[in-house]
Amino acid sequence: MSDLDPESLWGDVLHSARENLSPSSYRTWLADSSFEAFDDSRFVVRFPNEFVARWAKAHYGEVLEESLRSCSGRSDLSLVCVGDPARPKDRAPTRRKRSRNSNSYLHPSYTFDNFVAGSSNELAHAGALAVAQELGNSSYNPLFIYGGVGLGKTHLIQAVAHYVQQNQTAKTFKYLSSEQFTHQVVSAIRNGPASVTDFRSQYMKLDLLLMDDIQFLANKERTQVEFFHRFNELYQNGRQIVLTSDRPPNEIKPLEERLVSRFESGLVADIQPPEFEMRLAILELKVRDEGVYFPSDVLSFIASTIKSNVRQLEGAVHRLAATSRITGRDVNIEMARKVISDFLGSQARRLTPGSISSLVAEEFSISPTQLKGKGRKRDVLIPRQVAMFLIRDLTSISLSDIGSFFSGRDHSTVLNSIERIKQLCEEDSGLRRKVEEVRNRLTR
Ligand code: ADP
Ligand code: MG
């Protein structure tokens, strides 16, 4: 893979740390750190000794980890800091060898084999498979996959990467998130014209570009321009491009009109939340991967209780499998009820009228005070009604209590609001998506 290797990734992380720390702190704690190993999601960095490693982890761990995630586009990475009292500087050769072989940013199990296809993701799955199998000749260019959180976008786009890698159908390809792309553009510009030329020629060589979470290009004008040109070059030379996003092209805002129409010119495929049967199929697969046995009543219990997204289904399987391992007891329905209700309970604690309304306010870009207030204009009224709807849907709070929360409105107002939102959601897919987005964020 011609992607950034872990060593340069760590270099990028250090680069941004350097800009945010005093020169002496940087020199003392971070300057002598180096990439050590990378397995699955653990990114191991070596420091000159144990003391420095601990200090760096305690004081900069969070910031470094965050930057590691945004530079790599992988939100599951965790930073492990180790010290090395024994061996000084001569480890470089072995390290380098290992990192070349390791496939930096592909999750090993995000393959087509591990992906359950069904009615909610049929088109996206078929499109991704076609692109992988007919690389260079597919009629789906670009392939644009969109859908809510935790529904398998990253899995699918990485499956394409795994496929072309295994079958060696692409000489060069790149998988990265649009945040990582932005970061590359910024560093190239900062490092001067030669670096920009270098950056551009790297892209020109690609047979396949896979870019995850393209919605983060919104607002980033300079990066959009750069992306537009890289996109066109590849596209005109018949190279394949696959993009994912949490929303359709025309809802990524602000995004240059010419990009929107480029995105829409190929195949646009959405992924919906899975239905019961598909949730069951996904569960069976995840349980098999865990190497545990869940009886079928447990599987259907989980599939009918957890509906919002696949990541949450996986979480439930992990919890239950872990409980069974720790207690040494087989998984049964009582254990499942208990574990799943604790699992959901810890989420429910986040589900209060206050937390729900503030997320809704954020989603609609108004203040929580406006949301709760008396204003009757549509741009505050709709979000307020959405908040009422979600509170009712996600909690067991009564209509009149919801009314009191919103500056003493009565229960019939709340009821009408809820009905109105249900109806509007049927007519307006943009609104429906916003509501689902907030629901997802709350129930993740
Ligand atoms: P997204 O990028 O859309 O937020 P991910 O691709 O990260 O979601 O998926 C979240 C988790 O759910 C991953 O662990 C992925 O393997 C799993 N997953 C999602 N959809 C499916 C599916 N159809 N079959 C198997 N696993 C899935
Ligand atoms: Mg993703």
mmCIF file of all heavy atoms in Angstrom, residues 18-58:
data_model
loop_
_atom_site.group_PDB
_atom_site.id
_atom_site.type_symbol
_atom_site.label_atom_id
_atom_site.label_comp_id
_atom_site.label_asym_id
_atom_site.label_seq_id
_atom_site.Cartn_x
_atom_site.Cartn_y
_atom_site.Cartn_z
ATOM 1 N N ARG A 18 4.410 19.633 18.154
ATOM 2 C CA ARG A 18 5.460 20.630 18.233
ATOM 3 C C ARG A 18 4.901 22.046 18.123
ATOM 4 O O ARG A 18 5.374 22.980 18.750
ATOM 5 C CB ARG A 18 6.421 20.380 17.079
ATOM 6 C CG ARG A 18 7.672 21.180 17.152
ATOM 7 C CD ARG A 18 8.535 20.799 15.980
ATOM 8 N NE ARG A 18 9.915 21.092 16.278
ATOM 9 C CZ ARG A 18 10.929 20.444 15.754
ATOM 10 N NH1 ARG A 18 10.706 19.469 14.908
ATOM 11 N NH2 ARG A 18 12.149 20.792 16.062
ATOM 12 N N GLU A 19 3.856 22.168 17.318
ATOM 13 C CA GLU A 19 3.276 23.497 17.144
ATOM 14 C C GLU A 19 2.478 23.938 18.358
ATOM 15 O O GLU A 19 2.205 25.109 18.542
ATOM 16 C CB GLU A 19 2.362 23.493 15.925
ATOM 17 C CG GLU A 19 3.165 23.239 14.686
ATOM 18 C CD GLU A 19 2.384 23.496 13.429
ATOM 19 O OE1 GLU A 19 1.144 23.349 13.459
ATOM 20 O OE2 GLU A 19 3.027 23.843 12.432
ATOM 21 N N ASN A 20 2.073 22.957 19.151
ATOM 22 C CA ASN A 20 1.205 23.306 20.270
ATOM 23 C C ASN A 20 1.905 23.288 21.623
ATOM 24 O O ASN A 20 1.302 23.594 22.635
ATOM 25 C CB ASN A 20 0.002 22.361 20.305
ATOM 26 C CG ASN A 20 -0.847 22.523 19.067
ATOM 27 O OD1 ASN A 20 -1.207 23.646 18.720
ATOM 28 N ND2 ASN A 20 -1.127 21.438 18.379
ATOM 29 N N LEU A 21 3.156 22.882 21.638
ATOM 30 C CA LEU A 21 3.874 22.822 22.911
ATOM 31 C C LEU A 21 5.007 23.827 22.907
ATOM 32 O O LEU A 21 5.453 24.268 21.849
ATOM 33 C CB LEU A 21 4.482 21.429 23.089
ATOM 34 C CG LEU A 21 3.530 20.264 23.269
ATOM 35 C CD1 LEU A 21 4.319 18.978 23.421
ATOM 36 C CD2 LEU A 21 2.651 20.482 24.486
ATOM 37 N N SER A 22 5.495 24.139 24.118
ATOM 38 C CA SER A 22 6.657 25.017 24.154
ATOM 39 C C SER A 22 7.844 24.200 23.632
ATOM 40 O O SER A 22 7.884 22.976 23.797
ATOM 41 C CB SER A 22 6.933 25.453 25.581
ATOM 42 O OG SER A 22 7.478 24.374 26.288
ATOM 43 N N PRO A 23 8.818 24.878 23.010
ATOM 44 C CA PRO A 23 9.949 24.139 22.450
ATOM 45 C C PRO A 23 10.636 23.266 23.492
ATOM 46 O O PRO A 23 11.034 22.131 23.195
ATOM 47 C CB PRO A 23 10.902 25.238 21.968
ATOM 48 C CG PRO A 23 10.028 26.429 21.756
ATOM 49 C CD PRO A 23 8.894 26.312 22.733
ATOM 50 N N SER A 24 10.731 23.755 24.748
ATOM 51 C CA SER A 24 11.465 22.954 25.710
ATOM 52 C C SER A 24 10.661 21.717 26.127
ATOM 53 O O SER A 24 11.217 20.634 26.276
ATOM 54 C CB SER A 24 11.872 23.784 26.923
ATOM 55 O OG SER A 24 10.724 24.116 27.641
ATOM 56 N N SER A 25 9.349 21.840 26.280
ATOM 57 C CA SER A 25 8.569 20.646 26.598
ATOM 58 C C SER A 25 8.675 19.640 25.468
ATOM 59 O O SER A 25 8.809 18.439 25.696
ATOM 60 C CB SER A 25 7.081 20.958 26.765
ATOM 61 O OG SER A 25 6.896 21.972 27.677
ATOM 62 N N TYR A 26 8.584 20.150 24.276
ATOM 63 C CA TYR A 26 8.647 19.240 23.142
ATOM 64 C C TYR A 26 9.973 18.476 23.150
ATOM 65 O O TYR A 26 10.011 17.259 23.040
ATOM 66 C CB TYR A 26 8.484 20.016 21.827
ATOM 67 C CG TYR A 26 8.587 19.101 20.638
ATOM 68 C CD1 TYR A 26 7.501 18.328 20.238
ATOM 69 C CD2 TYR A 26 9.785 18.983 19.934
ATOM 70 C CE1 TYR A 26 7.597 17.451 19.176
ATOM 71 C CE2 TYR A 26 9.896 18.105 18.865
ATOM 72 C CZ TYR A 26 8.795 17.343 18.489
ATOM 73 O OH TYR A 26 8.905 16.472 17.445
ATOM 74 N N ARG A 27 11.054 19.231 23.328
ATOM 75 C CA ARG A 27 12.370 18.601 23.299
ATOM 76 C C ARG A 27 12.524 17.586 24.429
ATOM 77 O O ARG A 27 13.014 16.485 24.236
ATOM 78 C CB ARG A 27 13.471 19.670 23.397
ATOM 79 C CG ARG A 27 14.613 19.421 22.459
ATOM 80 C CD ARG A 27 15.660 20.528 22.477
ATOM 81 N NE ARG A 27 15.133 21.884 22.430
ATOM 82 C CZ ARG A 27 15.203 22.770 23.434
ATOM 83 N NH1 ARG A 27 15.754 22.451 24.584
ATOM 84 N NH2 ARG A 27 14.700 23.986 23.304
ATOM 85 N N THR A 28 12.044 17.973 25.612
ATOM 86 C CA THR A 28 12.231 17.106 26.763
ATOM 87 C C THR A 28 11.446 15.804 26.662
ATOM 88 O O THR A 28 11.954 14.739 26.974
ATOM 89 C CB THR A 28 11.767 17.832 28.044
ATOM 90 O OG1 THR A 28 12.303 19.141 28.023
ATOM 91 C CG2 THR A 28 12.209 17.093 29.294
ATOM 92 N N TRP A 29 10.192 15.908 26.247
ATOM 93 C CA TRP A 29 9.331 14.740 26.377
ATOM 94 C C TRP A 29 9.059 13.990 25.085
ATOM 95 O O TRP A 29 8.859 12.782 25.090
ATOM 96 C CB TRP A 29 7.990 15.148 27.007
ATOM 97 C CG TRP A 29 8.177 15.827 28.323
ATOM 98 C CD1 TRP A 29 7.935 17.137 28.616
ATOM 99 C CD2 TRP A 29 8.682 15.235 29.517
ATOM 100 N NE1 TRP A 29 8.250 17.393 29.913
ATOM 101 C CE2 TRP A 29 8.704 16.250 30.503
ATOM 102 C CE3 TRP A 29 9.104 13.938 29.865
ATOM 103 C CZ2 TRP A 29 9.148 16.012 31.796
ATOM 104 C CZ3 TRP A 29 9.541 13.703 31.153
ATOM 105 C CH2 TRP A 29 9.565 14.743 32.106
ATOM 106 N N LEU A 30 9.019 14.704 23.981
ATOM 107 C CA LEU A 30 8.550 14.025 22.771
ATOM 108 C C LEU A 30 9.584 13.840 21.670
ATOM 109 O O LEU A 30 9.494 12.902 20.878
ATOM 110 C CB LEU A 30 7.339 14.787 22.192
ATOM 111 C CG LEU A 30 6.136 14.893 23.127
ATOM 112 C CD1 LEU A 30 5.033 15.692 22.463
ATOM 113 C CD2 LEU A 30 5.617 13.504 23.490
ATOM 114 N N ALA A 31 10.548 14.735 21.628
ATOM 115 C CA ALA A 31 11.443 14.743 20.467
ATOM 116 C C ALA A 31 12.118 13.391 20.212
ATOM 117 O O ALA A 31 12.351 13.015 19.071
ATOM 118 C CB ALA A 31 12.494 15.833 20.621
ATOM 119 N N ASP A 32 12.411 12.634 21.291
ATOM 120 C CA ASP A 32 13.126 11.382 21.084
ATOM 121 C C ASP A 32 12.235 10.150 20.996
ATOM 122 O O ASP A 32 12.694 9.026 21.140
ATOM 123 C CB ASP A 32 14.140 11.165 22.215
ATOM 124 C CG ASP A 32 15.206 12.244 22.195
ATOM 125 O OD1 ASP A 32 15.550 12.668 21.075
ATOM 126 O OD2 ASP A 32 15.662 12.667 23.273
ATOM 127 N N SER A 33 10.976 10.369 20.785
ATOM 128 C CA SER A 33 10.091 9.213 20.685
ATOM 129 C C SER A 33 10.109 8.697 19.247
ATOM 130 O O SER A 33 10.410 9.435 18.319
ATOM 131 C CB SER A 33 8.667 9.621 21.052
ATOM 132 O OG SER A 33 8.192 10.562 20.120
ATOM 133 N N SER A 34 9.789 7.421 19.106
ATOM 134 C CA SER A 34 9.722 6.905 17.745
ATOM 135 C C SER A 34 8.708 5.773 17.655
ATOM 136 O O SER A 34 8.395 5.098 18.644
ATOM 137 C CB SER A 34 11.089 6.384 17.316
ATOM 138 O OG SER A 34 11.491 5.394 18.224
ATOM 139 N N PHE A 35 8.238 5.592 16.458
ATOM 140 C CA PHE A 35 7.273 4.532 16.226
ATOM 141 C C PHE A 35 7.900 3.168 16.512
ATOM 142 O O PHE A 35 9.041 2.922 16.128
ATOM 143 C CB PHE A 35 6.794 4.576 14.779
ATOM 144 C CG PHE A 35 6.080 3.335 14.375
ATOM 145 C CD1 PHE A 35 4.803 3.066 14.841
ATOM 146 C CD2 PHE A 35 6.703 2.388 13.573
ATOM 147 C CE1 PHE A 35 4.154 1.889 14.510
ATOM 148 C CE2 PHE A 35 6.049 1.208 13.230
ATOM 149 C CZ PHE A 35 4.773 0.969 13.697
ATOM 150 N N GLU A 36 7.155 2.297 17.174
ATOM 151 C CA GLU A 36 7.700 0.983 17.493
ATOM 152 C C GLU A 36 6.954 -0.150 16.800
ATOM 153 O O GLU A 36 7.551 -0.970 16.120
ATOM 154 C CB GLU A 36 7.656 0.774 19.020
ATOM 155 C CG GLU A 36 8.010 -0.618 19.492
ATOM 156 C CD GLU A 36 9.493 -0.936 19.281
ATOM 157 O OE1 GLU A 36 10.269 -0.002 18.968
ATOM 158 O OE2 GLU A 36 9.871 -2.084 19.417
ATOM 159 N N ALA A 37 5.649 -0.206 16.987
ATOM 160 C CA ALA A 37 4.906 -1.321 16.412
ATOM 161 C C ALA A 37 3.450 -0.921 16.250
ATOM 162 O O ALA A 37 2.973 0.012 16.886
ATOM 163 C CB ALA A 37 5.000 -2.535 17.331
ATOM 164 N N PHE A 38 2.785 -1.685 15.418
ATOM 165 C CA PHE A 38 1.402 -1.367 15.152
ATOM 166 C C PHE A 38 0.663 -2.671 14.951
ATOM 167 O O PHE A 38 0.964 -3.419 14.034
ATOM 168 C CB PHE A 38 1.347 -0.533 13.879
ATOM 169 C CG PHE A 38 -0.035 -0.068 13.535
ATOM 170 C CD1 PHE A 38 -0.910 0.333 14.531
ATOM 171 C CD2 PHE A 38 -0.458 -0.021 12.225
ATOM 172 C CE1 PHE A 38 -2.176 0.776 14.225
ATOM 173 C CE2 PHE A 38 -1.724 0.417 11.903
ATOM 174 C CZ PHE A 38 -2.581 0.814 12.900
ATOM 175 N N ASP A 39 -0.230 -3.009 15.889
ATOM 176 C CA ASP A 39 -1.013 -4.198 15.625
ATOM 177 C C ASP A 39 -2.461 -3.908 15.921
ATOM 178 O O ASP A 39 -2.798 -3.307 16.922
ATOM 179 C CB ASP A 39 -0.513 -5.397 16.439
ATOM 180 C CG ASP A 39 -0.643 -5.183 17.918
ATOM 181 O OD1 ASP A 39 0.130 -4.367 18.457
ATOM 182 O OD2 ASP A 39 -1.540 -5.786 18.530
ATOM 183 N N ASP A 40 -3.285 -4.273 14.970
ATOM 184 C CA ASP A 40 -4.713 -4.036 15.080
ATOM 185 C C ASP A 40 -4.972 -2.563 15.346
ATOM 186 O O ASP A 40 -4.784 -1.741 14.471
ATOM 187 C CB ASP A 40 -5.282 -4.941 16.171
ATOM 188 C CG ASP A 40 -6.756 -5.172 15.922
ATOM 189 O OD1 ASP A 40 -7.202 -4.825 14.809
ATOM 190 O OD2 ASP A 40 -7.451 -5.664 16.813
ATOM 191 N N SER A 41 -5.343 -2.230 16.593
ATOM 192 C CA SER A 41 -5.612 -0.813 16.800
ATOM 193 C C SER A 41 -4.623 -0.192 17.792
ATOM 194 O O SER A 41 -4.764 0.960 18.156
ATOM 195 C CB SER A 41 -7.046 -0.629 17.288
ATOM 196 O OG SER A 41 -7.199 -1.305 18.493
ATOM 197 N N ARG A 42 -3.651 -0.985 18.255
ATOM 198 C CA ARG A 42 -2.677 -0.452 19.197
ATOM 199 C C ARG A 42 -1.485 0.134 18.454
ATOM 200 O O ARG A 42 -0.811 -0.550 17.694
ATOM 201 C CB ARG A 42 -2.155 -1.563 20.127
ATOM 202 C CG ARG A 42 -3.127 -1.952 21.238
ATOM 203 C CD ARG A 42 -2.750 -3.310 21.822
ATOM 204 N NE ARG A 42 -1.307 -3.511 21.898
ATOM 205 C CZ ARG A 42 -0.594 -3.367 23.020
ATOM 206 N NH1 ARG A 42 -1.188 -3.017 24.147
ATOM 207 N NH2 ARG A 42 0.711 -3.578 23.014
ATOM 208 N N PHE A 43 -1.260 1.400 18.707
ATOM 209 C CA PHE A 43 -0.156 2.073 18.040
ATOM 210 C C PHE A 43 0.905 2.317 19.110
ATOM 211 O O PHE A 43 0.716 3.107 20.013
ATOM 212 C CB PHE A 43 -0.671 3.388 17.461
ATOM 213 C CG PHE A 43 0.276 4.021 16.493
ATOM 214 C CD1 PHE A 43 0.147 3.812 15.128
ATOM 215 C CD2 PHE A 43 1.298 4.851 16.943
ATOM 216 C CE1 PHE A 43 1.015 4.406 14.218
ATOM 217 C CE2 PHE A 43 2.175 5.447 16.049
ATOM 218 C CZ PHE A 43 2.028 5.222 14.682
ATOM 219 N N VAL A 44 2.002 1.570 19.009
ATOM 220 C CA VAL A 44 2.990 1.593 20.081
ATOM 221 C C VAL A 44 4.137 2.538 19.735
ATOM 222 O O VAL A 44 4.713 2.465 18.649
ATOM 223 C CB VAL A 44 3.570 0.179 20.336
ATOM 224 C CG1 VAL A 44 4.521 0.198 21.532
ATOM 225 C CG2 VAL A 44 2.433 -0.820 20.556
ATOM 226 N N VAL A 45 4.433 3.434 20.687
ATOM 227 C CA VAL A 45 5.501 4.397 20.469
ATOM 228 C C VAL A 45 6.539 4.220 21.566
ATOM 229 O O VAL A 45 6.190 4.004 22.735
ATOM 230 C CB VAL A 45 4.930 5.826 20.490
ATOM 231 C CG1 VAL A 45 6.044 6.853 20.442
ATOM 232 C CG2 VAL A 45 3.996 6.023 19.311
ATOM 233 N N ARG A 46 7.812 4.284 21.186
ATOM 234 C CA ARG A 46 8.865 4.058 22.151
ATOM 235 C C ARG A 46 9.513 5.379 22.574
ATOM 236 O O ARG A 46 9.733 6.262 21.753
ATOM 237 C CB ARG A 46 9.921 3.129 21.538
ATOM 238 C CG ARG A 46 10.976 2.685 22.514
ATOM 239 C CD ARG A 46 11.746 1.502 21.979
ATOM 240 N NE ARG A 46 10.955 0.272 21.971
ATOM 241 C CZ ARG A 46 10.747 -0.482 23.052
ATOM 242 N NH1 ARG A 46 11.252 -0.145 24.216
ATOM 243 N NH2 ARG A 46 10.037 -1.575 22.967
ATOM 244 N N PHE A 47 9.773 5.478 23.880
ATOM 245 C CA PHE A 47 10.424 6.661 24.437
ATOM 246 C C PHE A 47 11.776 6.237 24.996
ATOM 247 O O PHE A 47 11.994 5.054 25.235
ATOM 248 C CB PHE A 47 9.540 7.264 25.526
ATOM 249 C CG PHE A 47 8.299 7.920 24.964
ATOM 250 C CD1 PHE A 47 7.209 7.153 24.587
ATOM 251 C CD2 PHE A 47 8.236 9.301 24.790
ATOM 252 C CE1 PHE A 47 6.087 7.741 24.046
ATOM 253 C CE2 PHE A 47 7.107 9.899 24.255
ATOM 254 C CZ PHE A 47 6.035 9.124 23.878
ATOM 255 N N PRO A 48 12.675 7.208 25.254
ATOM 256 C CA PRO A 48 14.024 6.839 25.682
ATOM 257 C C PRO A 48 14.037 6.030 26.982
ATOM 258 O O PRO A 48 14.906 5.189 27.176
ATOM 259 C CB PRO A 48 14.736 8.168 25.884
ATOM 260 C CG PRO A 48 13.912 9.183 25.193
ATOM 261 C CD PRO A 48 12.543 8.633 25.043
ATOM 262 N N ASN A 49 13.116 6.275 27.881
ATOM 263 C CA ASN A 49 13.043 5.438 29.075
ATOM 264 C C ASN A 49 11.629 5.427 29.632
ATOM 265 O O ASN A 49 10.751 6.173 29.188
ATOM 266 C CB ASN A 49 14.053 5.907 30.139
ATOM 267 C CG ASN A 49 13.785 7.344 30.539
ATOM 268 O OD1 ASN A 49 12.655 7.685 30.898
ATOM 269 N ND2 ASN A 49 14.802 8.203 30.457
ATOM 270 N N GLU A 50 11.444 4.551 30.594
ATOM 271 C CA GLU A 50 10.142 4.327 31.186
ATOM 272 C C GLU A 50 9.524 5.616 31.761
ATOM 273 O O GLU A 50 8.345 5.886 31.603
ATOM 274 C CB GLU A 50 10.335 3.273 32.298
ATOM 275 C CG GLU A 50 9.081 2.742 32.913
ATOM 276 C CD GLU A 50 8.204 2.003 31.894
ATOM 277 O OE1 GLU A 50 8.755 1.357 30.984
ATOM 278 O OE2 GLU A 50 6.973 2.098 32.033
ATOM 279 N N PHE A 51 10.382 6.382 32.403
ATOM 280 C CA PHE A 51 9.893 7.592 33.049
ATOM 281 C C PHE A 51 9.311 8.565 32.024
ATOM 282 O O PHE A 51 8.194 9.075 32.163
ATOM 283 C CB PHE A 51 11.022 8.254 33.844
ATOM 284 C CG PHE A 51 10.613 9.570 34.441
ATOM 285 C CD1 PHE A 51 9.745 9.606 35.526
ATOM 286 C CD2 PHE A 51 11.059 10.770 33.898
ATOM 287 C CE1 PHE A 51 9.337 10.809 36.070
ATOM 288 C CE2 PHE A 51 10.654 11.981 34.437
ATOM 289 C CZ PHE A 51 9.792 11.998 35.524
ATOM 290 N N VAL A 52 10.059 8.807 30.983
ATOM 291 C CA VAL A 52 9.587 9.727 29.942
ATOM 292 C C VAL A 52 8.303 9.187 29.304
ATOM 293 O O VAL A 52 7.346 9.927 29.053
ATOM 294 C CB VAL A 52 10.677 9.941 28.862
ATOM 295 C CG1 VAL A 52 10.152 10.807 27.737
ATOM 296 C CG2 VAL A 52 11.902 10.569 29.487
ATOM 297 N N ALA A 53 8.274 7.884 29.097
ATOM 298 C CA ALA A 53 7.092 7.285 28.483
ATOM 299 C C ALA A 53 5.851 7.544 29.331
ATOM 300 O O ALA A 53 4.809 7.961 28.834
ATOM 301 C CB ALA A 53 7.301 5.783 28.309
ATOM 302 N N ARG A 54 5.988 7.327 30.640
ATOM 303 C CA ARG A 54 4.837 7.542 31.528
ATOM 304 C C ARG A 54 4.430 9.000 31.581
ATOM 305 O O ARG A 54 3.260 9.337 31.574
ATOM 306 C CB ARG A 54 5.189 7.089 32.947
ATOM 307 C CG ARG A 54 5.129 5.630 33.046
ATOM 308 C CD ARG A 54 4.656 5.230 34.435
ATOM 309 N NE ARG A 54 5.084 3.867 34.637
ATOM 310 C CZ ARG A 54 5.647 3.412 35.727
ATOM 311 N NH1 ARG A 54 5.805 4.205 36.757
ATOM 312 N NH2 ARG A 54 6.012 2.172 35.813
ATOM 313 N N TRP A 55 5.421 9.846 31.648
ATOM 314 C CA TRP A 55 5.139 11.268 31.749
ATOM 315 C C TRP A 55 4.412 11.750 30.490
ATOM 316 O O TRP A 55 3.410 12.443 30.544
ATOM 317 C CB TRP A 55 6.461 12.031 31.936
ATOM 318 C CG TRP A 55 6.284 13.290 32.717
ATOM 319 C CD1 TRP A 55 6.499 13.452 34.057
ATOM 320 C CD2 TRP A 55 5.886 14.563 32.216
ATOM 321 N NE1 TRP A 55 6.239 14.731 34.424
ATOM 322 C CE2 TRP A 55 5.857 15.450 33.322
ATOM 323 C CE3 TRP A 55 5.531 15.033 30.964
ATOM 324 C CZ2 TRP A 55 5.517 16.789 33.198
ATOM 325 C CZ3 TRP A 55 5.176 16.365 30.835
ATOM 326 C CH2 TRP A 55 5.171 17.226 31.948
ATOM 327 N N ALA A 56 4.937 11.314 29.352
ATOM 328 C CA ALA A 56 4.340 11.732 28.081
ATOM 329 C C ALA A 56 2.908 11.228 27.981
ATOM 330 O O ALA A 56 1.999 11.947 27.577
ATOM 331 C CB ALA A 56 5.172 11.197 26.917
ATOM 332 N N LYS A 57 2.703 9.993 28.405
ATOM 333 C CA LYS A 57 1.363 9.418 28.329
ATOM 334 C C LYS A 57 0.399 10.191 29.238
ATOM 335 O O LYS A 57 -0.707 10.531 28.854
ATOM 336 C CB LYS A 57 1.424 7.938 28.719
ATOM 337 C CG LYS A 57 0.091 7.238 28.775
ATOM 338 C CD LYS A 57 -0.414 6.899 27.380
ATOM 339 C CE LYS A 57 -1.813 6.276 27.427
ATOM 340 N NZ LYS A 57 -2.404 6.083 26.117
ATOM 341 N N ALA A 58 0.878 10.473 30.465
ATOM 342 C CA ALA A 58 0.001 11.142 31.420
ATOM 343 C C ALA A 58 -0.319 12.582 30.996
ATOM 344 O O ALA A 58 -1.432 13.054 31.170
ATOM 345 C CB ALA A 58 0.636 11.129 32.802
#
